């Protein structure tokens, strides 16, 4: 019988961006930053923390997805007046506990992301549409160099969630996307699938750009079901609140 101490695993060293997140949260808790206060710009934060700007950028993305900060277009980043972490923490814990059951996570994703696309088509700004376009262009460049582009694939879904202007949905999406990293890598390693993924994303983006919520929802649902069929050999069937029924 194994000694109980063998049940424990070494604690992994935190990533740089996670240390920045913890530091900023600590500053808020100690009152050095208050609700509504503006954060220094990315360059200044990088200098203060003595880290790269990419690490600061990742930390700010994480804080925004948790609802601790909010970006105001053209006017900087601010401490949120009502952080949503307390609202989504219980659900986030459930998601984390089910991280090994990819099929259940995909089922949840299929219930949420088509509606994200729907809301994004209603609410996305021209800047957010341009950001999604830039992500797809970057992914195509990576594919041309023989890379899978998984690191930028997730960004498309993140920006789309951000475009809904719903902090709770953004936080939930961020958790799901991170936990599905392994299946995303698996899917995009197969020949032809990265190109198909980009094609599907472009269909979603064009619907969002056109302000067509129903088409954006349908395209995203079909994209997710493509992935499910490829990974698990089956795809679910979903009827949306707007009466769309899609199956593969």
């Amino acid at each position: 019988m194994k000694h109980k101490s063998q049940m424990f695993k070494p604690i992994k060293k935190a990533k740089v961006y996670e240390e920045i997140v913890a530091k900023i949260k600590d500053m808020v808790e100690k009152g050095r930053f208050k609700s509504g206060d503006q954060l220094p710009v990315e360059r200044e934060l990088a200098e203060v923390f003595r880290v790269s700007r990419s690490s600061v950028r990742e930390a700010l993305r994480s804080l925004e997805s948790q609802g601790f900060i909010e970006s105001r277009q053209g006017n900087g980043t601010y401490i949120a007046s009502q952080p949503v972490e307390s609202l989504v923490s219980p659900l986030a814990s459930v998601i984390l506990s089910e991280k090994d059951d990819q099929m259940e996570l995909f089922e949840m994703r299929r219930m949420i992301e088509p509606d994200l696309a729907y809301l994004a088509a209603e609410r996305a700004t021209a800047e957010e549409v341009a950001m999604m376009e830039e992500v797809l262009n970057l992914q195509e460049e990576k594919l041309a160099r023989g890379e899978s582009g998984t690191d930028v694939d997730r960004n498309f879904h993140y920006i789309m969630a951000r475009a809904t202007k719903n902090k709770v949905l953004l936080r939930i999406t961020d958790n799901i996307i991170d936990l599905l990293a392994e299946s995303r890598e698996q899917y995009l390693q197969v020949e032809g699938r990265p190109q198909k993924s980009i094609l599907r994303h472009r269909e979603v983006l064009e619907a969002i750009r056109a302000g067509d919520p129903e088409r954006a929802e349908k395209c995203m649902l079909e994209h997710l079901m493509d992935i499910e069929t490829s990974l698990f050999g089956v795809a679910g069937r979903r009827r949306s609140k707007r009466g769309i029924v899609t199956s593969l």
Side-chain angles (χ1 to χ4, degrees):
M1 183 176 179
K2 292 183 178 180
H3 191 275
K4 287 186 177 181
S5 64
Q6 293 179 301
M7 297 169 59
F8 297 93
K9 297 180 180 180
I11 296 175
K12 295 181 179 179
K13 184 178 179 181
K15 296 179 181 178
V16 174
Y17 87 87
E18 292 174 338
E19 295 178 3
I20 300 171
V21 168
K23 182 65 176 177
I24 293 177
K25 285 183 177 180
D26 183 63
M27 294 170 76
V28 172
E29 290 173 2
K30 291 180 177 178
R32 295 179 64 183
F33 278 117
K34 297 180 175 62
S35 296
D37 285 353
Q38 184 174 11
L39 285 174
V41 297
E42 185 182 291
R43 175 181 53 77
E44 292 179 10
L45 288 172
E47 292 175 356
V48 170
F49 292 130
R50 297 183 181 179
V51 297
S52 68
R53 292 182 65 171
S54 61
S55 293
V56 171
R57 196 174 304 121
E58 184 70 7
L60 294 178
R61 183 192 69 77
S62 178
L63 286 166
E64 182 180 24
S65 74
Q66 295 174 43
F68 273 91
I69 64 173
E70 53 189 17
S71 297
R72 301 178 187 175
Q73 190 173 352
N75 197 27
T77 304
Y78 294 78
I79 302 298
S81 55
Q82 292 181 318
V84 300
E85 182 71 9
S86 60
L87 296 175
V88 300
S89 285
L91 179 57
S93 297
V94 172
I95 293 172
L96 287 169
S97 69
E98 300 297 329
K99 64 182 179 180
D100 292 327
D101 197 326
Q102 297 287 297
M103 288 188 70
E104 290 190 8
L105 285 172
F106 260 93
E107 188 170 50
M108 182 175 182
R109 186 179 177 188
R110 182 163 25 92
M111 293 175 66
I112 292 175
E113 285 206 51
D115 284 327
L116 294 181
Y118 187 98
L119 292 175
E122 289 186 324
R123 303 172 182 176
T125 64
E127 180 183 9
E128 287 162 341
V129 170
M131 290 171 66
M132 285 186 274
E133 180 75 45
E134 183 179 352
V135 166
L136 296 184
N137 290 339
L138 179 58
Q139 189 173 10
E140 287 180 338
E141 292 174 8
K142 285 180 172 287
L143 290 180
R145 295 196 298 266
E147 303 173 31
S148 66
T150 55
D151 54 334
V152 292
D153 179 86
R154 73 178 304 285
N155 289 340
F156 179 86
H157 294 271
Y158 177 81
I159 297 169
M160 183 185 70
R162 180 178 173 180
T164 68
K165 312 299 187 293
N166 186 310
K167 298 182 182 67
V168 175
L169 287 175
L170 178 62
R171 174 68 168 138
I172 293 171
T173 301
D174 200 41
N175 274 282
I176 295 174
I177 290 175
D178 280 345
L179 292 173
L180 289 171
E182 182 179 342
S183 61
R184 183 184 303 106
E185 183 73 30
Q186 179 184 346
Y187 177 77
L188 293 177
Q189 287 295 331
V190 178
E191 185 177 356
R193 287 179 184 165
Q195 290 79 6
K196 186 172 184 180
S197 178
I198 290 178
L199 178 62
R200 287 294 199 185
H201 283 171
R202 287 206 176 278
E203 290 174 350
V204 173
L205 177 56
E206 288 310 309
I208 292 174
R209 194 197 312 273
D212 188 337
E214 285 83 4
R215 182 156 63 93
E217 177 191 41
K218 183 175 184 294
C219 289
M220 179 54 71
L221 178 58
E222 290 174 348
H223 172 49
L224 296 176
M225 295 177 75
D226 275 349
I227 298 174
E228 282 188 86
T229 302
S230 176
L231 291 175
F232 311 122
V234 295
R237 177 181 176 88
R238 175 185 185 274
R239 180 183 295 275
S240 77
K241 293 185 289 294
R242 287 161 286 279
I244 300 171
V245 179
T246 308
S247 60
L248 292 176

